[in-house]
Amino acid sequence: MKQKHENVTLSFPAELNALLHIRVTRRGISKYVANAVKKALEEDERKELMKLEKAYEESNKDQDRVEIVNDWKGLDTVDNIEGWEW
């Protein structure tokens, strides 16, 4: 399946644009920029995941929070339904 493309207008500082044209052929600029943006977005996502993992690690060090979570876990089991009809 062929990917759908959209035209986008971007503005670069003149020096960056000149360096881009030295490095990449005119016909290859769209692909080059698309790959660079994709790589930057993937890196941003990786950094966000690392922050989230660190936050989880920090929260697991909070013993009060861990005790509360463990107290509530027991309520989530099917064995704790107390005869309720579903």
Side-chain angles (χ1 to χ4, degrees):
M1 177 197 261
K2 190 171 182 176
Q3 284 187 328
K4 181 180 177 186
H5 290 81
E6 294 183 12
N7 289 330
V8 177
T9 301
L10 301 171
S11 298
F12 293 120
E15 287 182 16
L16 180 60
N17 192 42
L19 290 172
L20 180 63
H21 280 82
I22 290 169
R23 171 81 45 137
V24 183
T25 64
R26 185 172 188 84
R27 294 191 62 152
I29 290 176
S30 290
K31 183 177 180 179
Y32 188 88
V33 171
N35 287 336
V37 169
K38 181 180 178 186
K39 183 178 178 181
L41 290 172
E42 289 169 349
E43 179 65 15
D44 288 348
E45 184 174 352
R46 187 187 67 76
K47 286 178 183 177
E48 287 298 317
L49 287 173
M50 288 178 63
K51 281 187 205 175
L52 188 57
E53 284 179 10
K54 185 175 180 178
Y56 280 128
E57 289 172 7
E58 289 298 317
S59 69
N60 285 330
K61 292 177 184 176
D62 180 351
Q63 288 303 313
D64 291 334
R65 191 199 71 78
V66 171
E67 287 178 27
I68 291 169
V69 168
N70 288 334
D71 288 344
W72 282 91
K73 277 184 183 177
L75 299 176
D76 290 337
T77 63
V78 175
D79 298 335
N80 250 352
I81 294 177
E82 298 179 358
W84 288 15
E85 290 184 32
W86 296 92

